[in-house]
Amino acid sequence: MDPILELRSVLKEFPGHRAVSGISLSVPRGSFFSLLGPSGCGKTTTLRLIAGFEQPTSGDILLNGEAVNDRKPYERNVSTVFQSYALFPHLTARGNIEFGLRQHRVADIDKRVKDVLALVSLTGKETRRPAQLSGGERQRVALARSLVLQPDVLLLDEPLAALDPKLRKQMRLELKAVQRRVGITFLLVTHDQEEALSMSDQLAVMNEGRIEQVGSPQDVYLRPRTPFVAGFLGAVNWIGPIGVRPEATRIAHRGGPGSQRQAPGLVTGSVFLGDCVEVLVRLDSGEDVVAQVPRSAANFKPDDAVHICWDAAEELSFS
Amino acid sequence: MKLRRWFLFPAWLWMALLFFAPFVIVLAYSFLTRGPYGGVWGPWTLENYQRLFDPLYLTILMRSFAMAAAATALCLLFAFPAALFIVRATRHRNLYLQLVMLPFWTSFLVRTYAWMFLLRDTGLINTALEAAGIIHDPLPLLYNNGAVLLGLVYGYLPFMVLPIYATLERLDPSLMEAAADLGARPMAAILRVIVPLAKPGILAGSVLVFIPCLGAYLTPDLLGGGRTVLVGNLVQNQFTGARDWPFGSAVSITLMALVTVLLWVLLRRESEPLV
């Protein structure tokens, strides 16, 4: 596929530490791509390298097949939605959205502003200053301000982190819908695996300046290539060298047929989560595991002798 | 009375005794007549204020305003880039700030005398230029409007740098990145984002420079050599040489009233909600 953005062995060193250790990455045109990883893994530095706020120590950044290493941020056709939004407090929502268009001396400013306001559902709020907008609305202004420039790649740095959980879930769907409608390539940086899994066409899991795995959300979640990826994307029960996700772990009062994968243990407790119940089991082999079971089937008391079982197909294994 | 109120008492007492009382005395003097041997005398009169409309005094007032405005403008021109430089400095930022405040370690009077030694006909600058063969007669550097302006800008520059620095320091550094990201070159980003957001600091600095410059008398006295009479020198002359306390008081009160009106207008505009 034709990549709109490519990183080739990009390395970034700051005095005393290496933030990005020679990563290579290819982002397909028009896709929703996420960089997922814990804080300090180098994902934000990678984003800043692409935006041009930082210079790579070595390696190349290619936009539309052209190396852009030497281009200043204002010469690169990418645009960033900052984590803090970085809206200009002295300008109205409209002023913020027009800012980039004026810098680029675009002709049909009014029409483009009107269209983007409608796209992010901000029509009617254009005369408000950032301080007069809610958190969600500020986020839309930040998004609109970048989208209106029709960048090759839109960079989003933890854009939902500042929102409350309910709004965050709603904005996930909206972001994804907006991306589909405009067809612009989105590159999202996040530490929230649910966010990355729910929105991305492809995601790259980063750890300690390296990319551990790239793939579709299903790929990465179901077939993690390293224990780190498995553990970062969701909970894992470790039964010896075998990993099983809690939602794939079943629990029964007596053992099943010998052909099934199973292990005996004692219930140590349970946690009510509303939509399901997590039953905690200490296996006879000493490991603690968690089984997610439906509320109706959660008739387990501490010290019950149980068997946990799982399908061989659900096992996570690492080469 | 609540304990909290008492916290204000020392400041209140100080202001009442050393500001308000003298102010009332000066205000009263300005409506009295000059006594035969100096001092003040009855009857009450408005004559002192009428005298201010004499073209001689109006010129002095205008000249003072122009001088203070020019000094403020020059300070702003030098201070803004300097403050921006200091805020952006990743290392040595404190050192630069110390350097801005370094002049305060010596008395203003001594520093003004130092300028006289630099600027006079046999001073360092003229001697050096003559020795280098660039000039044959000394340049008239001292005792003119230029020297006064130089002295004022030199003296009050830190009062412009510090408030602007304080405002810039509070700005989210990602604003500058956002401007660049949206396609603004550095100069456009500064003019369209940083300058508007630094407005409170620019206003505070301008007030802190303009008002003392308007009433300055030491700098025009020493560097202007008595040729450039500003309103501060006029007041000083009335209280010392001319011994016309009522007129000196009237000039002071008028100056104070003008400054108050100016500040009121400025601060009213400033208090319009920015965010």
Side-chain angles (χ1 to χ4, degrees), chain B residues 219-235:
Chain B
T219 310
D221 197 42
L222 294 179
L223 301 181
R227 274 188 233 175
T228 312
V229 174
L230 298 186
V231 69
N233 309 101
L234 178 63
V235 173

Side-chain angles (χ1 to χ4, degrees), chain B residues 104-123:
Chain B
F104 295 133
W105 293 12
T106 327
S107 112
F108 187 52
L109 185 64
V110 171
R111 286 184 281 135
T112 308
Y113 272 115
W115 273 112
M116 293 175 74
F117 283 110
L118 285 172
L119 296 176
R120 65 185 179 181
D121 286 359
T122 56

Side-chain angles (χ1 to χ4, degrees), chain A residues 180-192:
Chain A
R180 284 234 178 83
R181 269 182 70 182
V182 295
I184 292 174
T185 311
F186 276 32
L187 179 60
L188 172 85
V189 154
T190 180
H191 66 271
D192 182 332

Side-chain angles (χ1 to χ4, degrees), chain A residues 71-148:
Chain A
R71 290 208 209 143
K72 302 279 185 201
Y74 49 85
E75 297 163 333
R76 297 187 187 195
N77 196 18
V78 297
S79 193
T80 309
V81 175
F82 291 82
Q83 184 171 9
S84 66
Y85 309 147
L87 296 180
F88 304 126
H90 60 300
L91 299 177
T92 59
R94 165 179 284 275
N96 270 280
I97 295 169
E98 283 178 347
F99 188 93
L101 294 171
R102 290 190 186 283
Q103 297 307 315
H104 290 100
R105 304 205 155 65
V106 172
D108 52 346
I109 288 185
D110 280 347
K111 180 174 181 329
R112 284 173 71 166
V113 171
K114 206 177 138 219
D115 290 350
V116 84
L117 281 168
L119 181 69
V120 300
S121 328
L122 268 179
T123 309
K125 304 270 167 80
E126 52 264 56
T127 57
R128 305 223 185 139
R129 297 260 171 89
Q132 300 164 314
L133 295 169
S134 71
E137 288 166 344
R138 274 181 228 172
Q139 222 245 322
R140 288 159 203 260
V141 175
L143 182 64
R145 180 173 79 168
S146 290
L147 273 179
V148 78

Side-chain angles (χ1 to χ4, degrees), chain A residues 48 74 79-80 84 90 129, chain B residues 172 175 177 180-181 192 274:
Chain A
R48 292 175 58 80
Y74 49 85
S79 193
T80 309
S84 66
H90 60 300
R129 297 260 171 89
Chain B
D172 179 357
L175 288 175
E177 286 182 348
D181 190 72
R192 294 211 45 205
L274 176 74

